[in-house]
Amino acid sequence: MTARLELDGELTIPWAAEQHERVLRFLGEGPDLELSLAGVTDMDTTGLQLLLLARQEARRRDVRLRLTGHSPAVRDVLALAWLDSDLEAVS
């Protein structure tokens, strides 16, 4: 069964620590996880770092992690960083 976490609101510097802790706890629920980004309203490079960390940590823990429902804010940052195809679906 796939566990799912929905991130919403901002993935920006002021909220980084809170979101970081949520994502790390969520990675402990694996082996098959889905991280929904549909509710993300704003994202900066701190949010990008969080997604890259989640990918790295999932791999380290041998957890399958899929990012789904990329909001326009997420798509914009991923495209600017040339990571849109790289982080479209993480496993």
Side-chain angles (χ1 to χ4, degrees), residues 5-76:
L5 175 65
E6 294 186 23
L7 294 182
D8 56 6
E10 298 181 16
L11 287 182
T12 58
I13 290 173
W15 301 103
E18 178 184 318
Q19 299 291 12
H20 178 259
E21 292 302 319
R22 283 182 72 201
V23 170
L24 287 182
R25 280 193 309 271
F26 176 64
L27 290 173
E29 297 178 22
D32 190 24
L33 303 174
E34 181 178 309
L35 186 59
S36 173
L37 304 170
V40 175
T41 58
D42 191 18
M43 184 168 135
D44 62 13
T45 56
T46 304
L48 178 59
Q49 289 175 338
L50 177 64
L51 297 181
L52 292 170
L53 172 72
R55 177 179 68 177
Q56 179 182 11
E57 187 63 18
R59 287 178 178 164
R60 188 184 74 75
R61 296 181 187 199
D62 198 27
V63 168
R64 182 171 184 246
L65 175 65
R66 286 186 317 281
L67 302 181
T68 62
H70 295 63
S71 71
V74 172
R75 282 192 201 116
D76 288 347

